[in-house]
Amino acid sequence: METTDLVAKQANKLIESVYRMEAEEQKLILLATRKINELELRGLPFTPETEVIITADEFAKIYDIPKQRAFEALVSAKNTIYDRSFELEHIDSDGVVKPISSRWIHAKGE
């Protein structure tokens, strides 16, 4: 078998929904995930009430872009991500698989 015949895939419904996002949206999700991981490393729980706040300064520093461009990217990404949803499969107590829809973010601020 030649190496050109090999294909590596990482896929599930959640990953596939990220692939459909624009670059700035993906960057915002990645930065939010990073912040959640940092919370958990410090022993702080991540619950539905946990706020994940990302500033233009943080975004600019992490992605090495000007602060104004970071601000514009965040505004655009938060608005489009707010409108996006993804599908998951939930297994109920009887073992029945049921599709559910969820949103990436449930609230957005200015």
Side-chain angles (χ1 to χ4, degrees), residues 37-51:
N37 287 337
E38 289 170 357
L39 285 174
E40 291 175 342
L41 287 173
R42 293 194 327 250
L44 301 171
F46 178 71
T47 68
E49 291 77 33
T50 304
E51 287 187 341

Side-chain angles (χ1 to χ4, degrees), residues 3-23:
T3 56
T4 57
D5 294 335
L6 300 176
V7 177
K9 283 187 171 183
Q10 180 180 7
N12 65 35
K13 291 183 183 233
L14 189 59
I15 297 294
E16 289 169 10
S17 69
V18 172
Y19 291 155
R20 290 189 292 274
M21 291 182 173
E22 299 295 325

